[in-house]
Amino acid sequence: MIGQKILHYKIIEKLGEGGMGVVYKAEDTKLDRFVAIKFLPKHIASNADKRKRFEIEAKAAAALNHPNIATIYAIEEHNDQMFIVMEFITGKELKSYVDNSPLPIEEATGIATQIISGLRAAHNKGIIHRDIKSTNIMNNKDGEVKIMDFGLAKIRGSDQVTKEGITVGTMAYMSPEQARGEEIDQRTDIWSFGVVLYEMLTGKLPFRGDYDHAVMYSIINEAPKPMANISPAIEQIVMKALSKNPDDRYQVVDDVAGDLQAIDDKQFGRKKRGVNKSKLSWMITTAMILVMAIAFYILRPVAKPARASVQTIAVLPFADRSPEKDQEYFSDGLAEELLNVLAKNPQLRVTSRTSAFSFKGTNIDIKTIAAKLKVQHILEGSVRKDRNELRITAQLIDVKIDAPLWSETYDGTLEDIFALQDSISGSVAEALQITLLGEESATQQRETDPQAYNAYLLGKHFYRLRGKENLEKAVGHYQKALSIDPGYAPAWVGLSWSHGAQADQGYVPVDEGYLKARQEVRKALALDPNLAAAHSLMGWIKRSFAWDWNGANASFRRALDLAPGDAGIIANAARLAATLGRFDEAIRLNHRSIELDPVRTVLYNNLGLDTWYIGLLDESQTAFRKCLELNPQYWGAHNRIGCVYLAKGQPDSALAEVKQETEPFWQMYGLALVYHALGRNKEADDALAKIIEKNQNDSAYQIAEIYAYRGETDKAFEWLERAYDQRDGGLAEMKGNPLLRNIEKDRRYTAFLKKMNLPL
């Protein structure tokens, strides 16, 4: 079946198999996304009862639309095969985390809260899962929990598929009434949830035995063992959920949620790993919301008390309402400038531009966007620019109460743009009860000639489009801005980034591009020593080109001091930590940057690299798969997954993956590695020869990697020296590189690290 195409779904790999079907990972070639498809096995397809259960799974799950429930996309039939097309979840089963390994209380209760949220949505539609267990719960490492497989779901009021006396589900998680084959209701899911919560907190199941009948006896007759080192308040919740008499159990999941919320904050903690705060809003009572709202609006004019927790906000791209619809660059630029001002404040967690702008042009509602970005507030607006005249409309929405906290329309001219930006950012800060940092206003820090500013925004627009011609246009617009105002520091930063990108992509000689970039960022810092973007850029140049690790570290630290919530700066700091072999720190920073910018593809690529380097292979594959989920054409992702398969000792899987790589160089690079691993030496040699022929002047480091993996040590060091002479940025990734393991014991490797000033 692997590699087969059914309708518009290409089968990639088998994910699992159970009593109700086989699940495969597949590519939806119409929508360019990965999906999971579940087939009804052919050997039971003729069984009317089992086929009906399969249909009920589709009906039940398709009726649900909730962030903690795996989404059903379609129900399909082809050549007598019936299957469901589902959301493909990257992550790990909860079971893999809890086997003989209790979770921290705050993590367990965070996951529990999300399970309850999903069950609540199902129960409200009259759907009972009937098979809640730790293998049916996925955690994607970004804190989002998904309940899988409503294949045993029972719809209230529907005909019974299983007759009384027949058990359906997984024995260790069954309620007593379910184990006896009696009629059940939503309280059986509450029991199973109690089993999962017990399992998370102790690492063991509450009811065990060597065979199903022994487990059933324990469920019906025995009490669970006391939970060691667990607070009585939490244990009481678990034991109430596990009451053998359904009437003594929690009657609805909201009751469980209420008791979880009531636990003292010192026991649970406010900042729960794995908890999405937006998903907790339903726990807050109406009375509390009213009190908070009254306090907010009454007390705000006379006092601005500090808030204990960091507030969250995303700035969406402003709509272009101009007559000719030709000012998109300007409206985008205005939104980004507002985002940058707000991101400087440590009292705010501001979603980065890449993630916030990813919803541009979609019809997704504000609440869904906020849930995906994990923010409480959304700033949105529009710009009408007609020649020199401006009208800017903006509003700040509190997603929790689904209402604007503030809205305003501003009229002015292009000359007023900085004052208008200050007015908007100041109003947002006032509405959120925070203080913008710095004694100088944003206007005083950023003011320039309006025409220079317009050229600057055009430069940013073309820089983001990338490609040789667009980068040339970006350079031209930045240079125009600087010809009007040579003292405008942000334009020097933009010009520096553009020249650096040209060098990085091989559009200009490396020395030429980087030397220009370094000179330009120095001018920016001379003009504005407190410009965070300039310090971050200097750190990037020092790491990638100058190999000045101490200097890069100082630059990144200064940038983080100035803009602690900037995901790009955090990501750059993570790359330096990885360069120096501090992978735990790099992974921690990667997760932090992803939290701020959850749909930025390169951040998952960085996480995939660092976890691959230290042998966390499943986590690495998950991160690279996320790259492809966000951008199916992301260069090098299939190749990197292939490398992880090689590390797992699965060269056949690696070959299948590398063949899917869309970028020619990375596909050929991957083939050179995989063919060697498979012993197909001629094909490996041919692939390497093609790389040397076409890419020896810009990919010396990658050629060295291939030779090192092949065990050809002398050749590997020859190409490492070439990479050094070419100032190849890949050398910043050499420490800990799994492909270089074969040469690490050679004395020349230590000598090369010393030459690079890298720690031994």
Side-chain angles (χ1 to χ4, degrees):
M1 169 106 25
I2 306 301
Q4 182 179 349
K5 192 171 183 181
I6 299 176
L7 299 180
H8 54 90
Y9 304 101
K10 182 180 179 182
I11 307 299
I12 295 175
E13 63 178 304
K14 183 177 177 180
L15 297 177
E17 184 172 1
M20 277 305 296
V22 184
V23 183
Y24 291 90
K25 178 183 177 183
E27 180 185 5
D28 183 340
T29 57
K30 275 191 177 179
L31 297 178
D32 290 328
R33 64 182 177 186
F34 290 115
V35 296
I37 59 177
K38 183 172 184 177
F39 288 89
L40 184 67
K42 290 183 178 180
H43 70 275
I44 62 171
S46 59
N47 184 305
D49 286 343
K50 291 181 178 180
R51 184 178 180 91
K52 189 171 183 181
R53 273 184 44 207
F54 188 82
E55 292 170 351
I56 284 180
E57 173 185 14
K59 182 177 180 180
L64 300 172
N65 181 16
H66 189 274
N68 295 125
I69 296 175
T71 303
I72 292 294
Y73 296 139
I75 306 167
E76 306 276 16
E77 285 194 64
H78 179 69
N79 292 341
D80 296 325
Q81 291 180 303
M82 185 176 182
F83 58 92
I84 298 176
V85 184
M86 301 176 286
E87 177 183 6
F88 176 71
I89 310 294
T90 57
K92 297 177 72 173
E93 293 177 350
L94 178 60
K95 183 72 172 177
S96 66
Y97 293 103
V98 298
D99 262 350
N100 297 311
S101 179
L103 296 180
I105 290 176
E106 64 273 19
E107 184 170 0
T109 54
I111 292 171
T113 298
Q114 296 192 55
I115 297 171
I116 285 292
S117 181
L119 286 176
R120 178 175 182 267
H123 290 178
N124 284 346
K125 288 185 176 288
I127 299 171
I128 306 162
H129 190 286
R130 296 205 294 182
D131 199 26
I132 293 295
K133 56 186 177 182
S134 54
T135 54
N136 269 342
I137 296 164
M138 295 284 287
N139 190 331
N140 68 4
K141 288 281 192 177
D142 292 333
E144 190 165 61
V145 168
K146 295 276 189 180
I147 302 175
M148 309 290 291
D149 199 356
F150 273 76
L152 303 175
K154 173 190 172 186
I155 303 175
R156 187 169 60 234
S158 67
D159 293 335
Q160 283 286 103
V161 175
T162 54
K163 296 181 174 62
E164 195 171 306
I166 300 176
T167 60
V168 177
T170 303
M171 184 59 68
Y173 298 83
M174 286 184 185
S175 64
E177 62 270 25
Q178 189 178 9
R180 289 190 292 259
E182 298 172 354
E183 180 64 24
I184 62 171
D185 56 26
Q186 64 187 24
R187 292 174 294 181
T188 199
D189 281 351
I190 293 174
W191 168 282
S192 301
F193 163 81
V195 174
V196 171
L197 184 53
Y198 184 104
E199 188 180 15
M200 286 194 290
L201 293 168
T202 66
K204 299 181 182 299
L205 289 166
F207 307 103
R208 300 187 292 275
D210 294 332
Y211 48 90
D212 278 354
H213 285 297
V215 177
M216 182 187 293
Y217 179 88
S218 179
I219 289 170
I220 295 173
N221 298 290
E222 296 177 345
K225 290 184 179 180
M227 303 168 69
N229 302 318
I230 300 297
S231 75
I234 300 174
E235 187 171 21
Q236 184 177 352
I237 292 174
V238 177
M239 295 308 169
K240 185 173 181 179
L242 294 177
S243 295
K244 297 188 186 298
N245 185 340
D247 292 336
D248 297 331
R249 211 174 293 159
Y250 288 104
Q251 300 301 291
V252 293
V253 291
D254 279 359
D255 292 343
V256 188
D259 280 1
L260 283 172
Q261 181 67 18
I263 295 290
D264 187 84
D265 288 344
K266 291 182 181 178
Q267 292 174 307
F268 279 77
R270 288 292 185 189
K271 297 180 179 179
K272 298 176 181 177
R273 190 171 66 168
V275 179
N276 184 329
K277 294 181 181 178
S278 66
K279 294 170 186 167
L280 299 178
S281 61
W282 57 270
M283 298 180 193
I284 304 175
T285 65
T286 302
M288 288 182 66
I289 294 175
L290 289 174
V291 169
M292 290 171 64
I294 291 169
F296 177 79
Y297 286 105
I298 291 179
L299 295 178
R300 182 172 54 148
V302 295
K304 294 181 180 179
R307 296 197 174 191
S309 60
V310 173
Q311 300 217 58
T312 55
I313 186 172
V315 181
L316 300 186
F318 280 28
D320 177 17
R321 305 293 188 210
S322 304
E324 302 299 325
K325 304 295 183 186
D326 59 350
Q327 299 297 313
E328 181 181 355
Y329 75 92
F330 188 90
S331 55
D332 282 359
L334 172 63
E336 185 178 357
E337 290 297 295
L338 291 169
L339 184 156
N340 291 337
V341 171
L342 295 171
K344 294 178 181 177
N345 199 304
Q347 294 173 271
L348 281 176
R349 179 172 68 78
V350 184
T351 299
S352 293
R353 180 194 188 279
T354 311
S355 290
F357 278 43
S358 68
F359 297 96
K360 184 177 179 178
T362 68
N363 293 319
I364 301 176
D365 63 274
I366 291 293
K367 278 197 169 183
T368 302
I369 292 174
K372 288 181 178 291
L373 297 179
K374 301 180 182 178
V375 297
Q376 182 182 342
H377 302 95
I378 295 285
L379 178 64
E380 64 171 2
S382 63
V383 177
R384 176 183 171 88
K385 182 172 178 281
D386 188 3
R387 298 181 183 178
N388 203 44
E389 300 296 318
L390 289 176
R391 167 166 284 190
I392 300 172
T393 301
Q395 66 173 346
L396 177 68
I397 299 171
D398 187 328
V399 180
K400 186 181 294 185
I401 62 175
D402 195 21
L405 295 179
W406 157 86
S407 64
E408 190 63 76
T409 297
Y410 302 86
D411 290 311
T413 66
L414 191 59
E415 284 74 15
D416 303 320
I417 184 61
F418 299 111
L420 293 176
Q421 288 178 5
D422 278 346
S423 295
I424 296 171
S425 58
S427 296
V428 170
E430 182 179 0
L432 295 176
Q433 296 179 262
I434 63 171
T435 302
L436 290 176
L437 297 181
E439 297 179 358
E440 294 184 332
S441 72
T443 297
Q444 290 171 309
Q445 293 177 26
R446 296 181 288 108
E447 190 169 7
T448 187
D449 183 283
Q451 297 304 320
Y453 181 67
N454 193 66
Y456 163 73
L457 292 183
L458 279 167
K460 293 180 76 171
H461 172 74
F462 284 107
Y463 171 79
R464 293 192 183 281
L465 294 177
R466 292 305 179 96
K468 185 175 182 180
E469 291 184 4
N470 288 323
L471 285 174
E472 289 172 354
K473 289 179 181 178
V475 167
H477 286 297
Y478 284 130
Q479 289 174 335
K480 180 179 178 181
L482 291 167
S483 70
I484 299 170
D485 182 2
Y488 189 40
W492 283 111
V493 172
L495 184 61
S496 176
W497 272 119
S498 299
H499 280 137
Q502 286 180 320
D504 202 40
Q505 298 298 317
Y507 301 142
V508 299
V510 172
D511 285 351
E512 175 188 329
Y514 273 113
L515 287 174
K516 285 182 179 179
R518 185 158 52 183
Q519 292 168 355
E520 289 151 0
V521 75
R522 283 174 175 167
K523 290 180 180 178
L525 287 170
L527 291 165
D528 187 353
N530 293 320
L531 192 56
H535 286 285
S536 180
L537 174 54
M538 180 61 84
W540 178 71
I541 292 171
K542 287 179 177 178
R543 171 186 174 268
S544 300
F545 176 71
W547 302 331
D548 175 7
W549 320 122
N550 291 333
N553 185 59
S555 292
F556 289 140
R557 288 188 181 280
R558 179 58 180 151
L560 286 172
D561 287 342
L562 293 166
D566 189 303
I569 295 173
I570 295 168
N572 281 338
R575 300 321 309 136
L576 177 64
T579 292
L580 299 176
R582 303 198 302 258
F583 290 105
D584 288 345
E585 177 186 346
I587 291 170
R588 176 176 56 80
L589 290 170
N590 286 330
H591 282 296
R592 184 176 162 199
S593 66
I594 288 171
E595 180 184 0
L596 291 165
D597 204 348
V599 296
R600 189 174 180 182
T601 312
V602 69
L603 302 182
Y604 293 95
N605 179 74
N606 295 345
L607 179 61
L609 286 172
D610 294 339
T611 47
W612 171 43
Y613 271 36
I614 63 172
L616 298 176
L617 302 182
D618 289 340
E619 289 85 343
S620 178
Q621 279 191 329
T622 297
F624 290 135
R625 292 290 184 205
K626 184 66 174 180
C627 291
L628 293 169
E629 178 186 326
L630 293 169
N631 178 6
Q633 303 302 315
Y634 190 75
W635 282 12
H638 284 295
N639 162 70
R640 294 183 186 101
I641 295 171
C643 288
V644 177
Y645 273 127
L646 288 180
K648 287 183 171 183
Q650 301 174 26
D652 290 325
S653 297
L655 180 60
E657 195 70 41
V658 168
K659 285 184 175 180
Q660 297 180 64
E661 177 60 54
T662 58
E663 204 285 320
F665 169 79
W666 286 118
Q667 184 182 73
M668 192 59 60
Y669 168 90
L671 291 174
L673 296 171
V674 175
Y675 283 143
H676 173 77
L678 289 168
R680 294 163 62 171
N681 296 332
K682 183 180 185 307
E683 291 160 297
D685 291 344
D686 289 345
L688 177 55
K690 289 179 181 178
I691 293 173
I692 293 174
E693 178 185 355
K694 295 182 178 181
N695 302 100
Q696 60 181 300
N697 294 323
D698 56 19
S699 300
Y701 177 70
Q702 283 74 30
I703 296 170
E705 286 180 305
I706 296 170
Y707 275 121
Y709 183 73
R710 289 160 58 114
E712 298 181 46
T713 305
D714 291 342
K715 286 285 189 180
F717 282 108
E718 175 188 333
W719 283 95
L720 283 176
E721 291 295 340
R722 288 198 190 193
Y724 185 91
D725 293 339
Q726 295 172 9
R727 310 300 291 181
D728 193 318
L731 289 172
E733 307 283 349
M734 71 174 293
K735 191 167 178 62
N737 186 339
L739 298 176
L740 301 182
R741 294 277 158 77
N742 287 334
I743 66 171
E744 285 183 351
K745 293 183 180 180
D746 192 290
R747 59 180 178 79
R748 288 172 289 182
Y749 181 80
T750 302
F752 197 87
L753 289 180
K754 289 181 179 179
K755 185 176 181 178
M756 292 286 299
N757 292 317
L758 288 168
L760 303 180

